[in-house]
Amino acid sequence: MANTAPAEELMQRIAAEYDTLSKQLKVIAGYVERHRGTLMLQRITDIAQACEVQPSAIVRFAQRFGFAGFSEMQAVFRDAFTPQGAPQPNYRQRIQSLIANRDEQRSAAGMTRDFIAACQQGLQELDATLDEAQLEAAVELLLNADNIYVAGVRRMFPIASYIAYALQHTAKKVHLLSGLGGMFPQQIRSIGEQDVLIAISFQPYGKESRYCARVAAQHKAKQLVITDSQLSPLARGADAVLTVREGSAFAFRSLTSTICLCQALFIALACRLELNIEETKETGGYDD
């Protein structure tokens, strides 16, 4: 079995030192974060071209984090993600190639299978990169929270709505920050030190979610961030960070891996609370 710990430790170091990096090194850091599952197969010249820097900048980046050069840093990812630690390295390229060469009259079933393949790729990567320690920390935050506030805007709003719904099966006081009527400031203003904000935000990182995170920090509340990168602006101030990189097809990113992670997070919390979901007390229907 592949050992992902050194790669995860390196990514945590990169995230912790990200603000101190030069503009060029920040670009490289972002590339490494997004492509760590396939980095062991890429040539330094390809990475330099993608980042629009010279190969020497890639070497400087590796040396910045204690490696003799790029090949030594690359070996960390090779040990982490081969042969079983990640989806097949060329999986994404195969999907993209399939899309690029599709017939104009491609069937609905064919496109559906493309989406299914993208979702499978995202789930495989979630399995390979899951940070168990951060997941345990996330459950602990929710377990000890008096109030749980949930923020997610635009494509992340359905995820926020789902996790707020799931958490309402517990005795926790749950607040979905919908921002209805432009009222994010009013909805989050009562958050306190014994509370937790769950902020769900993927690139380009909604300004409303970032606002909620700033208010939570000012009020000394705990923060659980679900995002696509440890370099996310929300991640650096969080008490627990869960990262998800979704598969995509036809330029649309899936939500499959994110909803899977949120469901697992809720079930883990329910187990810690010894909650029997099937015995949740019903208060009757609207017509009763």
Side-chain angles (χ1 to χ4, degrees):
M1 182 177 291
N3 180 15
T4 61
E8 290 301 323
E9 289 171 3
L10 173 58
M11 292 313 307
Q12 289 169 10
R13 283 189 57 204
I14 291 172
E17 300 179 30
Y18 181 78
D19 288 337
T20 67
L21 300 179
S22 67
K23 184 177 180 179
Q24 274 194 340
L25 297 190
K26 284 181 177 178
V27 172
I28 298 168
Y31 185 91
V32 170
E33 167 69 18
R34 293 190 302 275
H35 297 89
R36 54 182 172 173
T38 58
L39 201 70
M40 66 283 192
L41 297 176
Q42 299 183 39
R43 297 177 300 178
I44 189 171
T45 52
D46 295 333
I47 299 171
Q49 183 177 10
C51 295
E52 299 183 342
V53 300
Q54 294 297 317
S56 59
I58 310 295
V59 175
R60 288 200 306 275
F61 179 85
Q63 292 174 339
R64 174 70 171 72
F65 292 96
F67 299 98
F70 171 70
S71 296
E72 187 175 319
M73 183 184 74
Q74 193 179 37
V76 170
F77 294 95
R78 183 180 299 112
D79 293 343
F81 295 108
T82 57
Q84 298 176 344
Q88 295 181 18
N90 62 348
Y91 199 91
R92 185 184 299 273
Q93 290 87 341
R94 294 209 307 272
I95 294 173
Q96 291 174 337
S97 176
L98 180 63
I99 294 168
N101 296 319
R102 72 185 187 276
D103 297 330
E104 288 187 9
Q105 299 301 319
R106 186 166 180 78
S107 70
M111 289 189 290
T112 299
R113 289 190 174 92
D114 290 343
F115 276 105
I116 292 170
C119 293
Q120 289 172 332
Q121 183 258 338
L123 286 169
Q124 286 176 316
E125 185 161 356
L126 176 62
D127 180 42
T129 60
L130 183 65
D131 189 326
E132 296 182 12
Q134 287 295 300
L135 187 59
E136 290 294 339
V139 173
E140 196 69 22
L141 287 176
L142 299 179
L143 186 66
N144 295 320
D146 286 348
N147 291 272
I148 300 173
Y149 293 77
V150 186
V153 298
R154 289 176 281 286
R155 67 183 293 267
M156 288 297 110
F157 184 74
I159 305 295
S161 299
Y162 169 77
I163 198 166
Y165 158 76
L167 290 170
Q168 284 166 357
H169 286 82
T170 73
K172 298 289 183 181
K173 289 173 279 188
V174 183
H175 312 270
L176 176 62
L177 303 175
S178 66
L180 187 63
M183 295 182 65
F184 276 107
Q186 290 77 15
Q187 291 177 347
I188 189 118
R189 66 183 180 184
S190 297
I191 195 169
E193 293 186 33
Q194 304 305 314
D195 303 330
V196 170
L197 169 67
I198 303 177
I200 310 164
S201 187
F202 285 39
Q203 197 173 28
Y205 312 115
K207 62 182 181 180
E208 300 90 345
S209 298
R210 286 185 278 129
Y211 169 81
C212 291
R214 288 197 301 273
V215 173
Q218 291 168 1
H219 291 217
K220 299 181 180 180
K222 303 295 184 183
Q223 294 186 50
L224 163 57
V225 169
I226 300 174
T227 187
D228 56 355
S229 171
Q230 292 179 0
L231 307 181
S232 160
L234 288 90
R236 295 193 288 279
D239 297 279
V241 180
L242 301 177
T243 57
V244 185
R245 278 169 291 278
E246 292 282 8
S248 64
F250 305 103
F252 285 89
R253 287 174 293 180
S254 166
L255 296 176
T256 305
S257 298
T258 310
I259 197 72
C260 174
L261 180 62
C262 289
Q263 287 176 316
L265 178 64
F266 165 68
I267 294 299
L269 175 65
C271 289
R272 290 288 299 275
L273 292 170
E274 297 185 354
L275 174 68
N276 187 338
I277 299 172
E278 298 300 325
E279 294 181 0
T280 302
K281 184 179 294 185
E282 296 291 344
T283 56
Y286 289 116
D287 297 330
D288 292 346

